[in-house]
Amino acid sequence: MKNQFKLKILSNKKITDKLYYLILEPGKLAAQVKPGQFIEVRISDGLEPFFRRPFSVFRCQKSVELFYEVRGKGTEILSAKNKGEVLDVIGPLGTSFSLPSKKVKQVVMIGGGIGVAPFMALSDTLNNKGYELVLLYGGRNKDYTFNMSEFKKNGCKVFVSTDDGSVGVKGKVSVLFNKIKADAERTMIYTCGPRAMMASVQDFAKKHGLKGECSCEEVMACGVGVCLGCVVKTVNGYKTCCKDGPVFRLDEVVF
Amino acid sequence: MVNIMNLSVNIAGVKFANPVTVASGTFSDAWDMKNIKQLGALIPKTVMLNAQAGNPPPRIVETPSGMVNAIGIENDGIDAFITQKLPIYAKMGVPVIVSISGKTDEEFVIMAQKLNACPSVALIELNLSCPNLKHKMLVAQDAEATARIVALVKKVVNKPIIAKLSPNVTSIADIASAAEQAGADAVSMVNTFQAMVIDVEKQKSKIGNFTGGLSGPAIRPIAVNMVYQTAQKIKIPIIGMGGIANADDALQFIMAGATMVAVGTMSFIEPDTALQVLNGIKAYMRAKKINDIRALIGFLK
Ligand SMILES: Cc1cc2nc3c(=O)[nH]c(=O)nc-3n(C[C@H](O)[C@H](O)[C@H](O)COP(=O)(O)OP(=O)(O)OC[C@H]3O[C@@H](n4cnc5c(N)ncnc54)[C@H](O)[C@@H]3O)c2cc1C
Ligand SMILES: Cc1cc2nc3c(=O)[nH]c(=O)nc-3n(C[C@H](O)[C@H](O)[C@H](O)COP(=O)(O)O)c2cc1C
């Protein structure tokens, strides 16, 4: 397959008890990735776990970087991989974020938990383009929060909430929606995270007539649009998360 | 001089350059098509008379060495398939086997007639894992219904017909035999095994459709045995499938009696599986000094 690569792990660092940061050599992959796209990682050479695992590309400037949460057996195995080991990946896959129109002044990225991952690549692209970049990040607790300095270096104003108030404002990320300028022409929203969170962003955007995009997550098998296993319900019928998405128009998805 | 190796096989007069193909539902033009040209044939996902949206998600769940799926034959209908997809597949230069399924006998007949008029269709595969009206089972679970549909389609087409069989039966060889007697030119086996996976945390099925079908390496030894049992009973060719991951797996099906083999689920994990299977079969034949693949078909008696 032409977009299948074997890339060496340059580092795989534990950030918190739950979050890891993996850096792969760029190979021929890094230069092809657009913000919002993902790769399918073969976790082991054997058949357990069976499916490849999808991960957004966190960064792709000098290397291919993933930012991931240890959730189950696949990410557990991934977290134990060492520098020098080789990962078999397929990508870049799926749709990417469309860039804001010229009229847009404020770009708001709303990430829930590990859903923040694709926004690093997006802010790498939008930095220094004249937009006001805002990142609203909601995490469960301090295990799901991390140093936001890289986002800040990209010119993002960062606001954090946690469910338990251990970091930032207490509450769901919606407590930060007051940072969004409700200007239909000049605000663009991007969101990625749990369904309920994206639904609340959709409601907010609808109420204020704001344009936006969301990145969806479904269990995937093939990752390329063949098996039709990962469909997302949209106002235009079922669409594959892996090929028609993961990035969809915010008003298109039925959460 | 290099010894010329024959990999070609023949089903009802249609010649295939080699015995390796892809299983219906696990291949489409969304695939990287470069390698497809090297395969013996291609079989796109089952099409129906009318477009169908498919089942509610979640549609898939992984299992030990396999997966359960309940896609629900999401498809755009036969007319859209013929005008939009078929030309793309025809360009691949390998015989195209079109899989169809009907909600009624009539639908099978109408679709078969439409495909019969398409020069780029080499064979027609009847996916008989569809409801058998008036009976609480699938057509493929009923020898009479299987024979009835095969005979009806056979009457209206001159292209060869393949009956795709379900393993969810007491004796798949009996159903295969019924298909053969009704005029099927080949059988394709096996479809997925009815299965379910329960999320005990959420206390509900992990599949939106409640139950689904198991595929992948988990089913392979059962499928090999079914091909073997069936090969003892019928004379028409068998297209064998079920969890093929490498040449060794494929050769098991061939030795059990399959004329062709199809790679399904494993393509999702390793997109080049079918090609690797083909290359592995060649390497095996070289190593064993076998010049003709046909010498291996049904080798095990
Ligand atoms: C396009 C896309 C991009 C992604 N990007 C990232 C990323 O950048 N970083 C990151 O950490 N994760 C990302 N994910 C999620 C990641 O793929 C899953 O967390 C991972 O597959 C879990 O594997 P596991 O074996 O550890 O967990 P499993 O053992 O498979 O599952 C553990 C639990 O999580 C649930 N679960 C697993 N996968 C999913 C899913 N896809 N949707 C909903 N529930 C699920 C299971 O039902 C189970 O309860 C992305 C997913 C998609 C579809
Ligand atoms: C996601 C998925 C979709 C499938 N769709 C079809 C289909 O549309 N028609 C059909 O005849 N078989 C379908 N099958 C069954 C396969 O063609 C094959 O018979 C079965 O999966 C066993 O082979 P495997 O284990 O190599 O996948 C599907 C299988 C999977 C996994």
Side-chain angles (χ1 to χ4, degrees):
Chain A
M1 184 137 190
K2 69 174 183 304
N3 59 349
Q4 185 169 10
F5 304 95
K6 297 215 191 309
L7 302 177
K8 204 178 272 173
I9 297 175
L10 301 180
S11 79
N12 189 16
K13 261 205 316 246
K14 184 172 175 161
I15 305 295
T16 71
D17 272 354
K18 290 287 171 199
L19 303 178
Y20 282 74
Y21 177 37
L22 177 84
I23 304 181
L24 297 170
E25 61 179 343
K28 290 198 176 104
L29 171 61
Q32 299 180 42
V33 184
K34 294 200 235 29
Q37 288 190 299
F38 69 97
I39 60 176
E40 278 260 67
V41 177
R42 182 108 190 237
I43 297 291
S44 84
D45 294 339
L47 299 174
E48 300 305 324
F50 190 61
F51 291 156
R52 284 174 180 264
R53 295 294 195 261
F55 297 96
S56 300
V57 174
F58 181 67
R59 256 189 160 157
C60 52
Q61 290 171 319
K62 293 188 282 312
S63 46
V64 175
E65 304 181 8
L66 306 181
F67 187 46
Y68 64 97
E69 172 194 351
V70 174
R71 195 185 274 175
K73 54 191 179 307
T75 44
E76 185 84 51
I77 296 169
L78 189 61
S79 72
K81 293 202 190 273
N82 295 310
K83 180 177 168 180
E85 286 184 61
V86 169
L87 272 196
D88 175 337
V89 308
I90 295 175
L93 299 169
T95 53
S96 56
F97 293 116
S98 51
L99 302 182
S101 77
K102 290 223 168 63
K103 276 189 255 165
V104 168
K105 291 272 185 292
Q106 191 194 40
V107 170
V108 186
M109 294 167 277
I110 308 171
I114 201 61
V116 75
F119 296 139
M120 184 57 83
L122 183 62
S123 67
D124 280 341
T125 302
L126 297 183
N127 185 16
N128 291 323
K129 297 258 160 62
Y131 303 110
E132 180 201 1
L133 300 182
V134 176
L135 176 73
L136 308 183
Y137 175 75
R140 250 174 274 177
N141 53 47
K142 65 179 185 341
D143 278 346
Y144 292 87
T145 52
F146 53 95
N147 185 340
M148 294 283 178
S149 60
E150 289 299 307
F151 278 103
K152 288 177 186 155
K153 274 189 215 158
N154 273 350
C156 298
K157 288 181 201 158
V158 178
F159 302 94
V160 177
S161 76
T162 47
D163 293 356
D164 63 357
S166 54
V167 184
V169 185
K170 183 176 160 112
K172 294 284 173 196
V173 76
S174 51
V175 301
L176 304 172
F177 286 178
N178 57 3
K179 309 293 177 199
I180 306 171
K181 290 188 182 128
D183 181 334
E185 290 295 302
R186 297 196 181 77
T187 302
M188 176 75 183
I189 291 178
Y190 300 94
T191 184
C192 180
R195 222 165 243 271
M197 185 211 87
M198 293 203 285
S200 72
V201 176
Q202 189 186 52
D203 282 347
F204 182 86
K206 191 173 172 194
K207 201 162 105 202
H208 299 282
L210 306 181
K211 288 199 185 61
E213 290 184 333
C214 56
S215 176
C216 293
E217 187 191 331
E218 296 294 335
V219 173
M220 291 178 179
C222 74
V224 294
V226 170
C227 73
L228 309 178
C230 65
V231 293
V232 171
K233 193 173 178 188
T234 76
V235 292
N236 302 310
Y238 291 129
K239 292 198 172 184
T240 56
C241 187
C242 68
K243 185 154 185 271
D244 302 322
V247 179
F248 293 94
R249 259 189 15 237
L250 184 54
D251 60 4
E252 189 184 8
V253 176
V254 179
F255 289 113
Chain B
M1 212 194 99
V2 195
N3 206 348
I4 295 174
M5 196 191 279
N6 177 51
L7 281 157
S8 73
V9 293
N10 180 310
I11 292 182
V14 179
K15 191 175 171 187
F16 301 91
N18 64 68
V20 181
T21 181
V22 282
S24 179
T26 63
F27 161 82
S28 83
D29 61 319
W31 222 228
D32 176 6
M33 302 277 272
K34 190 185 82 208
N35 296 334
I36 293 298
K37 300 183 174 161
Q38 300 181 50
L39 300 181
L42 57 87
I43 314 180
K45 184 167 181 66
T46 300
V47 275
M48 302 186 70
L49 184 59
N50 299 309
Q52 178 165 298
N55 287 330
R59 291 179 173 182
I60 53 172
V61 57
E62 70 178 354
T63 58
S65 300
M67 67 184 283
V68 171
N69 91 79
I71 307 297
I73 316 199
E74 176 179 331
N75 78 105
D76 293 334
I78 188 96
D79 292 334
F81 174 83
I82 289 172
T83 55
Q84 289 156 33
K85 296 292 177 183
L86 192 53
I88 301 173
Y89 298 133
K91 269 196 224 124
M92 291 299 109
V94 300
V96 179
I97 301 174
V98 177
S99 167
I100 57 172
S101 193
K103 289 181 173 158
T104 60
D105 295 6
E106 179 88 279
E107 287 194 4
F108 271 107
V109 169
I110 297 169
M111 283 189 284
Q113 282 169 324
K114 285 177 190 267
L115 292 173
N116 200 47
C118 301
S120 50
V121 176
L123 297 91
I124 300 170
E125 181 173 275
L126 308 177
N127 176 358
L128 299 173
S129 294
C130 52
N132 180 13
L133 292 186
K134 290 174 282 191
H135 297 76
K136 276 194 186 143
M137 49 164 122
L138 305 176
V139 170
Q141 289 172 320
D142 178 351
E144 270 173 43
T146 296
R148 184 185 74 231
I149 289 176
V150 167
L152 274 174
V153 171
K154 198 62 199 168
K155 228 190 295 176
V156 297
V157 302
N158 39 41
K159 292 185 196 287
I161 297 297
I162 305 165
K164 176 141 180 194
L165 307 180
S166 165
N168 301 306
V169 293
T170 311
S171 166
I172 197 167
D174 287 350
I175 310 280
S177 185
E180 178 180 43
Q181 279 157 34
D185 297 281
V187 294
S188 158
M189 56 192 283
V190 296
N191 212 319
T192 57
F193 290 75
Q194 197 178 7
M196 75 186 293
V197 180
I198 299 168
D199 186 329
V200 298
E201 208 49 56
K202 296 183 184 150
Q203 303 184 331
K204 61 179 200 182
S205 172
K206 284 201 178 184
I207 290 285
N209 185 54
F210 205 66
T211 62
L214 179 66
S215 64
I219 69 170
R220 195 202 64 229
I222 317 178
V224 170
N225 178 53
M226 286 181 162
V227 166
Y228 176 78
Q229 301 298 339
T230 303
Q232 309 312 306
K233 199 148 180 178
I234 63 172
K235 295 204 166 57
I236 52 175
I238 297 171
I239 302 175
M241 70 200 75
I244 295 174
N246 52 46
D248 189 296
D249 298 345
L251 285 160
Q252 292 192 45
F253 279 92
I254 291 170
M255 288 185 193
T259 298
M260 290 187 86
V261 288
V263 174
T265 302
M266 275 309 289
S267 299
F268 301 155
I269 313 306
E270 211 44 74
D272 287 339
T273 302
L275 208 64
Q276 288 163 6
V277 163
L278 176 59
N279 291 332
I281 290 175
K282 287 183 196 165
Y284 175 86
M285 288 170 65
R286 262 193 304 274
K288 295 276 184 198
K289 299 195 168 47
I290 295 163
N291 295 328
D292 193 332
I293 185 81
R294 288 171 298 186
L296 290 169
I297 300 171
F299 185 79
L300 216 72
K301 284 288 182 296

